[in-house]
Amino acid sequence: MFDLNKKEKPFTSFSGFGGGGLGLAGGAIAAKPYVDDVFSTFVYAGTGDNQTNTVTNGIDLANKGGMVWTKGRNIGYSPIIFDSERGLEKYLYTSGEAGQGDDNARSNMSFNSNGYSFGSASSNSWGPINEGNYDFVSWTFRKAPGFLDIVTFQKTAGRMGVSHSLGSVPGMIIVKNIDNNQDWYVYHRSLTSNQYYMRLSNSAGEVQNSGVWNAETPTSTEFAVGTVLTTDDNYIAYVFAHDNAQYGTDEDESIIKCGSFTTSSSKATVDLGFEPQWVMFKGYSGSSPGNGWEIYDNIRGLSDVTYSKINANESATEVNGNVPVCGAKPTGFQIENTNNTTNFIYMAIRRPNKPPASAIEVFAIDTKVGTSPTPPTYYSGFPVDWSLKRDDNATHDWQSRARLSGTEESYTNLTNAASKQASTTVTFDQMKGVGTNTGVDAASHNWMFKRAPGFMDVVTFKGTGTNSAGTQQVVNHNLEVSPELLIVKNRDSSGKQFYVWSSHLTEKYRMSLNETAQALSGGDTYWQANSTFTATQFGLGYGVNTNKDGDNHVAYLFASLAGISKIGTYSGTGSNVNVDCGFSSGARFVLIKRSDAEVMDGYTGMSGWYVWDTTRGIASGNDPYLRLDSNAAQVTNTDYIDPLSTGFTVTSSASASLNADGGTYLFLAIA
């Protein structure tokens, strides 16, 4: 929901739908609108008989209205829609042509100010949305200008104009007869013409019939229906926007686009101008358009390694595979392994990008089944985008996994290529953590990061470098500020490290997470000039270590965000060094690496990448530390760091790896 206490630029242009839009009544100033406020993907477990279930996703359905579209992932129920306009006791199945059903005694659906709830204390909870021991996914769409309007109407004879309040020309309209059996009619701006329609409950391609839309293109206030629709029957219309730029921090972002693409050799690249969190596409013409209405989302996985697909027109369970099909990219999505010569339509929704209000929204540390019932194995309180996991008290590699690279796992202290893992200990299709393993191990920790503007981003990309000048590349990102710390890992080739760039190092210098060496010059092979590191892009050199031609890579980007994160350097003195990060309650996570020299540490060898956190202990006495470059168990008998209300203190007892007089040290701290 919008935070009216935040000091933000006044927003007055979003009048909304009466009391149901993004604006406020009486001319009051409203907060900035983000996609986070109007759309959510949420996965949950069914609670079964006589149990209430609640989805808390931050979407105000009670006051604004909208629709919830739910599908069992591992049980064969039809996808089902509830919405605020027909009454919450009414439902529609999208895999069939039946009119609406009416059974609130079982579903007991309620739209709330921060999500919705369902289930019943008087009878069995309803299987299609809450079957016990099964998993579900729901997509919540809130009514809002530039995103969605929902309209009910009774069809009159002949041509009928239907008014809507979308505030812009629709990109896609889905219409359903709620009284009787009839097709789900779909208008899409990219079909051959306004004489064509698609059928949501059908896998066939487009159909020509001017009697559906009366051969008229929708306007910003109205769409037309024709004689194919049944006179005197009642209909529901879900009216989706296309490329209406009025969202985001500067109120200049579109959050939904409806377009088309054509595959070539089973591949296509779609440029949206934003990274999607939800994509639905369907073949409409070409050699074999008979695929289903395929739905992908970032919670179940928009990966370049694996796929998780649900078809809106089928009751079948979710289909999963170990090849990429629909992968998210910083400015769009990549299609692979689909129909070879088919024309597709799509609807895509921007990924969440509301700035975080506190560090607990974007960073967490947890022991295995430490603070929450399972699942998840490791509790964060938010969907996790990067997971770093290891056992503290034994020899153990640092396991690194990212949501965008699916089941692949790399190790910060090794140079192996990434490998696909079948383990359930780090799976990302959870709303508040990672993993489904139910074992308990207090020594196993997970450091969990969430992407957020100004704090952290993750990007996957293919390399272009061949060790020849001219093969460097610039890669897009969504950090929205210039990065201060960049970590790049080649996922396909062995012998490649987690290479580190920082704006706080000498230009074109690099370090590696698995090495203890100081920052070294890489020339033009690792990075381009610092000027290529901007709020939207970063520049890679022509070498094969960070940019190998044809190989898949992953990049982690960090920046300093006031009150949440701080990246910088400090100079050692040999005495206590107070590192002021601007925090109000000290640092929960500290990573330090000496950048000007490689020196001997009396306990663990040469200087490395030291990690402390408040879960294992940052106190006035001894503080356990681990090193990203080492699989050694944590060291517990040193007092190298102390708490500081505004950041952290490096103590006078710290080794030369952390506090030599005149030494330079790169750090990342998170509040």
Side-chain angles (χ1 to χ4, degrees), residues 517-531:
Q518 71 269 34
L520 300 170
S521 176
D524 294 322
T525 60
Y526 289 86
W527 324 112
Q528 294 184 46
N530 282 2
S531 60

Side-chain angles (χ1 to χ4, degrees), residues 464-534:
T464 60
T466 63
N467 273 339
S468 299
T471 60
Q472 61 265 36
Q473 70 165 320
V474 175
V475 178
N476 294 317
H477 67 80
N478 287 312
L479 189 60
E480 298 188 15
V481 297
S482 296
E484 296 175 62
L485 182 68
L486 172 72
I487 304 169
V488 172
K489 174 71 172 105
N490 183 312
R491 296 150 51 198
D492 289 346
S493 294
S494 62
K496 306 303 180 187
Q497 304 166 18
F498 281 78
Y499 293 101
V500 178
W501 169 94
S502 177
S503 60
H504 299 279
L505 301 177
T506 301
E507 185 170 75
K508 298 184 182 180
Y509 272 51
R510 53 87 182 175
M511 293 193 290
S512 303
L513 290 188
N514 74 302
E515 289 186 339
T516 59
Q518 71 269 34
L520 300 170
S521 176
D524 294 322
T525 60
Y526 289 86
W527 324 112
Q528 294 184 46
N530 282 2
S531 60
T532 63
F533 289 73
T534 70

Side-chain angles (χ1 to χ4, degrees), residues 70-86:
T70 297
K71 174 71 180 80
R73 301 176 63 189
N74 53 354
I75 189 168
Y77 289 122
S78 172
I80 188 170
I81 291 178
F82 295 85
D83 64 68
S84 56
E85 308 309 299
R86 294 176 296 118

Side-chain angles (χ1 to χ4, degrees), residues 207-218:
V207 178
Q208 184 175 16
N209 190 325
S210 60
V212 177
W213 312 116
N214 206 52
E216 296 182 41
T217 300

Side-chain angles (χ1 to χ4, degrees), residues 538-598:
F538 59 89
L540 297 171
Y542 54 73
V544 297
N545 286 318
T546 58
N547 189 27
K548 186 176 180 181
D549 186 36
D551 277 8
N552 290 299
H553 299 69
V554 61
Y556 304 96
L557 299 86
F558 289 89
S560 298
L561 182 59
I564 292 178
S565 60
K566 180 66 176 179
I567 299 162
T569 60
Y570 65 86
S571 296
T573 64
S575 302
N576 283 1
V577 178
N578 292 330
V579 182
D580 186 349
C581 301
F583 300 159
S584 60
S585 299
R588 288 186 298 140
F589 172 88
V590 179
L591 171 67
I592 301 175
K593 173 70 177 78
R594 183 163 185 174
S595 61
D596 68 322
E598 182 178 27

Side-chain angles (χ1 to χ4, degrees), residues 72 92 360 412 556 577 596 599:
L92 289 164
I360 63 173
T412 66
Y556 304 96
V577 178
D596 68 322
V599 295

Side-chain angles (χ1 to χ4, degrees), residues 11-31:
F11 175 71
T12 57
S13 60
F14 238 68
S15 58
F17 311 123
L22 286 172
L24 298 178
I29 295 175

